[in-house]
Amino acid sequence: MPQIAKFPGNDHRPSCGIASIGLQLPPLALAVEELANLRGEDPAKYTIGLGCREMALCPPDYGVVDLATGAARRALERWGGDPDRIGLIAVGTETAIDMSRPLSAWVADRLELSGAVRSYEVKHACYGGTLALRQAAEWRLAGAAGSHHGQERAALVIAADVALYEPGDPGEPTQGAGAVAMIIDEPRIASIQPLSFPWSEPQFDFWRPVGERFPLVDGPLSLDCYKRAASHCFQALAQHSGEATIENLAAACFHVPFPKMVKKAVFALGAALGWSEEHTALFFTDKVDPTMSWNQACGNAYTASLWIAVAQALAGLPAGETIAAFSYGSGFGAELLLLEAGVEAAAGAWRQDFEQDLASRESISIERYQQLRAGDPVRQRPPVSATG
Ligand code: CAA
């Protein structure tokens, strides 16, 4: 018997959701204070002004395929299902390594997954992982997944990125890397509410034209877009489900370009909902801030950022509690999802991936960081403003 979702307005729908989670962080890290000293900035600008702590970094022989494959392998092992039951592999990334061959093919190669599988890459800046997850959930809910030996097929969804800015760019302290893989199947860890709350507008806030190694960023515009998107999405949720749904959340997770950005967005959505500053501050402290400490240990991992926060929020959550997940991708597209913890959330088995990678990674010196970046081209033109 399919389980029944308990979200307001969706009581009659069968649920599907996250059956397994795997995380992967790269093997190097740099404290942002070290970068501040190199760039002649006050370290407090990065730690207090932006809310950053450490950035996860990849050595030269390690990249997005390693991150994606590592997270996927862990999620598959923890799931324990027959790999032949995987009928969809969708990888959200903005670290594409080929304009044609999808990242999912590299992952499938390494994991020896082939056969009756739809395998592809999803691109929409940091929103790509969420789109991949939504597509997988909707594929199941629509009845399109089909079955293998009488069991409904499951999906492997991966969000993986290496976020690097041009050396000296204002975004440099927010760099990071990481991957989250999820198996979409029975909602043992969390069910996904079928109804979600999207908002998109065509903008040039952050983009990377073909051939550019680093993104072009209009920082102030990107902050405005993110705040506007969050306000619209949360207002739509409040209108549909009532404000009590937001008040009763166990946690509210956000895409985390840097933690201060999330705080700004929470204050923007609080104002849009007519909350007092005190009320918003309490909401941020209770429901949002505690979801971001894993993000602070790895920096912005673009598509994976939100799902790292979700993985942290779900680990240890009692069954039946609901969390929100706000996804934002420049360009821009955003979507607010609700997830309800399942019976295996409380055990939080994937916490060990994060703890293991953190314990084994090397904290590098600023000299090593400079060596890592030595081959990176420095753009010979002024910072870009919106091109319209
Ligand atoms: N002590 C404490 N705080 C200090 C300080 C000091 N000595 N010096 C400065 N600060 C504070 C500033 O007051 C400011 O805080 P408030 O915004 O609260 O006033 C904060 O530090 C940052 O200072 P600046 O605004 O001067 O920072 P900046 O211009 O150097 O860079 C940024 C900020 C433009 C956002 C840059 O980080 C950036 O370009 N980031 C990339 C774009 C980005 O992340 N955008 C977010 C939305 S888009 C998105 O979400 C997609 C994505 O993942 C990239």
Side-chain angles (χ1 to χ4, degrees):
M1 277 287 287
Q3 294 186 20
I4 303 298
K6 295 188 199 129
F7 300 110
N10 284 283
D11 295 346
H12 60 292
R13 291 179 190 272
S15 75
C16 87
I18 304 169
S20 176
I21 298 178
L23 284 92
Q24 182 72 57
L25 300 185
L28 305 179
L30 177 74
V32 295
E33 291 92 334
E34 298 280 329
L35 181 68
N37 293 334
L38 176 71
R39 300 292 176 224
E41 295 279 5
D42 181 352
K45 174 176 175 183
Y46 294 172
T47 54
I48 297 168
L50 298 175
C52 298
R53 225 169 56 211
E54 285 175 285
M55 56 178 79
L57 293 162
C58 298
D61 58 349
Y62 187 102
V64 70
V65 178
D66 302 283
L67 288 169
T69 308
R73 186 171 282 122
R74 285 169 162 174
L76 285 163
E77 279 170 12
R78 206 160 271 138
W79 176 56
D82 176 358
D84 288 341
R85 197 152 72 77
I86 297 293
L88 187 149
I89 307 173
V91 183
T93 190
E94 52 184 301
T95 315
I97 57 172
D98 191 296
M99 286 300 293
S100 182
R101 191 177 198 252
L103 198 53
S104 59
W106 265 269
V107 176
D109 251 357
R110 293 216 189 157
L111 297 177
E112 297 181 4
L113 294 171
S114 60
V117 187
R118 183 188 290 169
S119 162
Y120 60 100
E121 181 177 307
V122 183
K123 180 187 71 181
H124 193 319
C126 308
Y127 181 29
T130 304
L131 285 169
L133 177 113
R134 287 298 313 182
Q135 288 171 345
E138 289 164 15
W139 169 80
R140 285 269 303 211
L141 290 169
S147 62
H148 175 75
H149 294 320
Q151 271 194 297
E152 199 171 4
R153 286 192 187 273
L156 168 61
V157 169
I158 307 168
D161 268 305
V162 177
L164 286 176
Y165 292 84
E166 184 177 3
D169 185 280
E172 193 180 18
T174 72
Q175 292 174 150
V180 178
M182 291 166 278
I183 306 294
I184 303 305
D185 192 16
E186 289 298 308
R188 299 196 310 239
I189 293 173
S191 52
I192 300 166
Q193 175 176 302
L195 184 69
S196 60
F197 303 91
W199 188 266
S200 72
E201 290 178 23
Q203 294 284 354
F204 277 94
D205 56 327
F206 169 110
W207 69 110
R208 183 161 70 88
V210 174
E212 289 281 350
R213 171 118 165 74
F214 303 114
L216 312 184
V217 187
D218 184 334
L221 177 65
S222 77
L223 307 189
D224 280 352
C225 291
Y226 184 112
K227 287 191 286 188
R228 193 158 68 248
S231 300
H232 279 294
C233 291
F234 276 84
Q235 278 178 304
L237 169 61
Q239 273 160 19
H240 177 269
S241 308
E243 252 191 63
T245 306
I246 302 175
E247 304 286 350
N248 293 335
L249 291 169
C253 303
F254 286 73
H255 166 52
V256 188
F258 52 94
K260 183 63 134 342
M261 178 68 249
V262 174
K263 188 171 188 182
K264 285 174 189 279
V266 170
F267 275 84
L269 74 87
L273 293 172
W275 293 353
S276 69
E277 294 225 335
E278 293 74 19
H279 186 81
T280 307
L282 203 59
F283 181 81
F284 177 77
T285 309
D286 283 358
K287 315 268 167 119
V288 183
D289 203 28
T291 70
M292 295 194 289
S293 59
W294 290 10
N295 298 97
Q296 285 180 307
C298 62
N300 189 359
Y302 290 158
T303 54
S305 250
L306 167 65
W307 297 100
I308 289 169
V310 168
Q312 180 178 6
L314 284 174
L317 202 63
E321 296 274 5
T322 299
I323 67 167
F326 171 73
S327 187
Y328 177 85
S330 292
F332 75 78
E335 192 161 337
L336 178 61
L337 278 57
L338 293 181
L339 306 170
E340 184 182 304
V343 291
E344 290 183 15
W350 55 95
R351 200 188 270 126
Q352 80 181 56
D353 298 346
F354 179 79
E355 287 169 357
Q356 191 178 312
D357 290 352
L358 216 60
S360 65
R361 77 183 184 181
E362 183 190 347
S363 289
I364 62 168
S365 65
I366 196 66
E367 291 77 20
R368 178 89 189 278
Y369 174 72
Q370 286 177 289
Q371 281 164 11
L372 283 177
R373 306 295 315 262
D376 287 336
V378 175
R379 202 178 294 126
Q380 298 300 321
R381 57 180 126 107
V384 181
S385 60
T387 63

